[in-house]
Amino acid sequence: TGVQTCALPICSLYTVWKRTAPMPNMIAFDAGSREVCIARRQTTSTPLQAFVLLNDPQFVEAARVLAERTLKADSKSDKERVESLFLRLASRALSPTETRLLLDLLASQKEMFQKETEQAQKLLHVGASKPDETLSPADLAALTIVTQTILNLDATIWRR
């Protein structure tokens, strides 16, 4: 009794962490070397961090899988899908300006991926898991780009 469950699917990323050879993407986010214990990591924001979040296959695949889940679970409007994604990743509601910008991005990406189907397929096949073939490649690729954008926002990365 008194236990609440979250209706939103939780996504997490796992990586192997070796004591003597930390992952390069962890170094980009100022992770400690684990040779000594540190109480608090320094916080920085560098272009390399954005590069990791937008291009590392682990993050690209995570964005695609989350976009797939959103397309399957939320058979609603694009606006509701974007709002749902943002809430899952940033733990807050979108502002009207953010909503407009993300919906414009989604529309432009859909248009581009409908014309350039090879690019959509290339994006959707990053990573080990296979994309859901029942979903429109253009829709999935476009929502993947929006998900990557949200993952790369300051509101998602840093707790304030």
Side-chain angles (χ1 to χ4, degrees):
T1 65
V3 176
Q4 293 182 342
T5 59
C6 179
L8 300 175
I10 304 296
C11 294
S12 56
L13 298 174
Y14 293 93
T15 189
V16 176
W17 185 280
K18 296 180 182 177
R19 187 179 301 252
T20 57
M23 295 289 295
N25 62 2
M26 296 297 219
I27 293 170
F29 285 93
D30 304 316
S33 67
R34 296 185 63 177
E35 293 168 350
V36 295
C37 183
I38 56 173
R40 185 177 212 177
R41 287 188 354 206
Q42 70 181 39
T43 55
T44 61
S45 180
T46 68
L48 189 54
Q49 292 171 347
F51 184 74
V52 167
L53 289 171
L54 292 171
N55 296 296
D56 186 308
Q58 185 176 8
F59 290 97
V60 174
E61 183 178 15
R64 178 184 45 83
V65 170
L66 185 54
E68 280 180 8
R69 288 182 181 180
T70 302
L71 281 172
K72 286 186 208 175
D74 304 331
S75 57
K76 305 170 189 165
S77 70
D78 286 343
K79 182 178 183 213
E80 290 171 318
R81 288 182 181 132
V82 168
E83 288 172 345
S84 170
L85 273 171
F86 194 87
L87 183 62
R88 285 180 196 161
L89 295 171
S91 300
R92 71 168 174 83
L94 279 165
S95 72
T97 303
E98 291 167 330
T99 302
R100 183 181 45 78
L101 290 170
L102 289 172
L103 287 174
D104 288 349
L105 174 63
L106 181 60
S108 69
Q109 292 300 302
K110 272 187 189 181
E111 184 179 322
M112 189 219 26
F113 283 125
Q114 286 169 346
K115 292 176 186 171
E116 300 182 27
T117 56
E118 281 184 32
Q119 292 299 322
Q121 290 298 329
K122 193 174 178 182
L123 174 64
L124 297 179
H125 287 88
V126 171
S129 68
K130 304 276 187 243
D132 187 335
E133 300 295 330
T134 63
L135 299 172
S136 160
D139 289 345
L140 180 54
L143 197 59
T144 298
I145 296 295
V146 170
T147 305
Q148 282 186 288
T149 302
I150 296 169
L151 278 171
N152 200 39
L153 291 174
D154 215 37
T156 305
I157 299 169
W158 301 111
R159 182 179 59 167
R160 302 238 185 255

